[in-house]
């Protein structure tokens, strides 16, 4: 499958196990599948635009006891729907509506991804799971159903926004760390959206404009809960809710749609 980006280039995607992936990922798929984790590896398993960078920074800061200078990532990021891994994964989920909005703007500015088209066109693409890394519904439902069978810490983007200190404490416990209050408060401060938005290590400002054009949309855009209300029409919202009920039927997962 080849989709045209707004630069006029053909962005080639290939379906692997029902999920659309970029060719660079497909070319390395056998290595990904045969990957063997080390005892101290932590797998972060997020759907795109569901808090990946945020969780990475939190884990990094905890691992290095809040020392910003020492934060060099040694983290494996996993976006594919549930695959059985050797080590405990840490999924992070974000409500589908905000995720769709954020992914839409990310595709607008990321020239390594297909042009999303209009918001109306992208709405259809997303609900049908025809985006890179596949269906939000399959990803979230798959990990949610596995959380009690494996050593998994399932986090919600909205919970981190509401009470970052509490959620960071959960991550610390999961990692087997016990940091004092001063270090914890520093991690909360350094991993705030506002702080990361100004940090070149996290805001991708050093990435070439030919890859990520932040004049179209910043990599770290709003980081809010409920921005979907500025994009969804009444009809789209009603239709999405109906699709959500059908696709997520039988799951106990609940998302906060606004704070």
């Amino acid at each position: 499958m080849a989709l045209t980006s707004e630069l006029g280039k053909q962005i080639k995607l290939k379906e692997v196990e029902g999920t659309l992936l970029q060719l660079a990922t497909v070319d390395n798929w056998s290595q990904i599948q045969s990957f063997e984790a080390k005892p101290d590896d932590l797998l972060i398993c997020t759907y795109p635009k569901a808090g990946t960078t945020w969780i990475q920074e939190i884990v990094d800061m905890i691992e290095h006891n809040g020392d910003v200078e020492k934060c060099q990532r040694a983290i494996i990021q996993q976006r594919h729907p549930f695959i059985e891994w050797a080590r405990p994964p840490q999924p992070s989920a974000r409500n589908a509506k905000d995720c769709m909005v954020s992914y839409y703007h990310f595709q607008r500015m990321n020239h390594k991804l297909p042009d999303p088209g209009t918001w109306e066109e992208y709405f259809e693409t997303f609900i049908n799971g025809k985006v890179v890394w596949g269906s939000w519904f399959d990803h979230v439902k798959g990990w949610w159903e596995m959380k009690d069978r494996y050593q998994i810490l399932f986090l919600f983007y909205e919970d981190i926004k509401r009470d970052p200190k509490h959620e960071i404490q959960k991550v610390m416990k999961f990692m087997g760390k016990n940091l004092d209050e001063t270090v914890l408060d520093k991690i909360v401060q350094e991993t705030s959206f506002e702080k990361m938005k100004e940090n070149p290590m996290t805001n991708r400002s050093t990435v070439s404009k030919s890859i990520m054009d932040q004049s179209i949309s910043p990599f770290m855009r709003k980081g809010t809960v409920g921005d979907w209300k500025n994009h969804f029409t009444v009809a789209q919202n009603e239709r999405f809710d109906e699709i959500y009920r059908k696709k997520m039927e039988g799951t106990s997962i609940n998302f906060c749609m606004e704070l």
Side-chain angles (χ1 to χ4, degrees):
M1 177 181 292
L3 300 176
T4 306
S5 75
E6 57 188 18
L7 291 181
K9 296 179 180 178
Q10 290 289 307
I11 306 296
K12 294 183 178 180
L13 306 175
K14 188 174 181 180
E15 197 169 283
V16 177
E17 299 178 14
T19 299
L20 284 175
L21 300 172
Q22 294 160 299
L23 289 188
T25 302
V26 175
D27 291 343
N28 292 289
W29 194 245
S30 60
Q31 290 179 292
I32 294 172
Q33 289 288 66
S34 61
F35 165 77
E36 293 185 9
K38 296 177 182 179
D40 58 350
D41 283 337
L42 178 68
L43 308 181
I44 296 177
C45 318
T46 62
Y47 190 78
K49 309 310 293 179
T52 313
T53 302
W54 205 357
I55 300 298
Q56 285 176 333
E57 285 301 301
I58 289 172
V59 168
D60 239 3
M61 289 289 288
I62 292 172
E63 185 65 33
H64 294 90
N65 300 315
D67 190 331
V68 180
E69 299 301 320
K70 291 183 180 179
C71 284
Q72 300 294 326
R73 291 189 191 90
I75 299 167
I76 297 150
Q77 182 186 129
Q78 162 64 0
R79 284 200 172 120
H80 197 274
F82 182 81
I83 296 174
E84 191 166 319
W85 292 95
R87 284 289 297 159
Q90 181 179 297
S92 172
R94 186 182 191 182
N95 81 74
K97 293 177 184 178
D98 278 334
C99 214
M100 183 195 298
V101 169
S102 187
Y103 205 175
Y104 167 68
H105 288 293
F106 182 61
Q107 281 199 222
R108 289 176 58 229
M109 61 84 77
N110 190 329
H111 297 314
K112 294 295 184 180
L113 295 175
D115 174 27
T118 65
W119 166 250
E120 291 74 19
E121 291 170 337
Y122 190 73
F123 181 90
E124 299 298 326
T125 302
F126 188 94
I127 62 176
N128 288 299
K130 297 303 181 183
V131 291
V132 178
W133 296 108
S135 165
W136 178 97
F137 302 99
D138 292 345
H139 179 95
V140 172
K141 191 173 182 179
W143 282 106
W144 183 255
E145 290 175 349
M146 293 295 169
K147 69 180 178 63
D148 296 325
R149 290 175 51 189
Y150 297 85
Q151 188 183 347
I152 290 175
L153 175 65
F154 200 106
L155 299 172
F156 291 92
Y157 183 99
E158 294 77 15
D159 289 345
I160 306 174
K161 285 292 294 185
R162 182 191 296 108
D163 191 349
K165 189 171 185 176
H166 181 259
E167 298 305 302
I168 290 171
Q169 286 175 316
K170 286 164 62 174
V171 177
M172 284 170 48
K173 183 179 179 180
F174 186 73
M175 293 175 64
K177 296 284 187 176
N178 184 21
L179 306 179
D180 63 40
E181 198 75 13
T182 302
V183 174
L184 175 59
D185 288 339
K186 183 178 182 181
I187 293 173
V188 171
Q189 178 185 357
E190 292 294 332
T191 59
S192 69
F193 182 84
E194 293 73 23
K195 193 83 171 183
M196 292 193 299
K197 191 177 177 69
E198 300 302 320
N199 182 357
M201 290 293 292
T202 52
N203 65 19
R204 304 297 193 271
S205 58
T206 59
V207 176
S208 169
K209 190 175 181 179
S210 65
I211 298 174
M212 288 187 178
D213 189 347
Q214 303 210 41
S215 67
I216 296 174
S217 181
F219 174 74
M220 300 195 72
R221 199 174 60 90
K222 290 186 177 180
T224 58
V225 178
D227 189 41
W228 63 269
K229 292 183 177 180
N230 298 317
H231 294 74
F232 278 60
T233 65
V234 173
Q236 285 175 335
N237 189 45
E238 291 176 349
R239 184 169 167 227
F240 186 91
D241 286 347
E242 181 60 29
I243 291 169
Y244 183 95
R245 279 191 290 271
K246 290 178 180 178
K247 288 186 177 289
M248 301 299 283
E249 185 178 7
T251 65
S252 59
I253 193 168
N254 289 303
F255 284 92
C256 174
M257 304 305 292
E258 59 182 314
L259 293 180

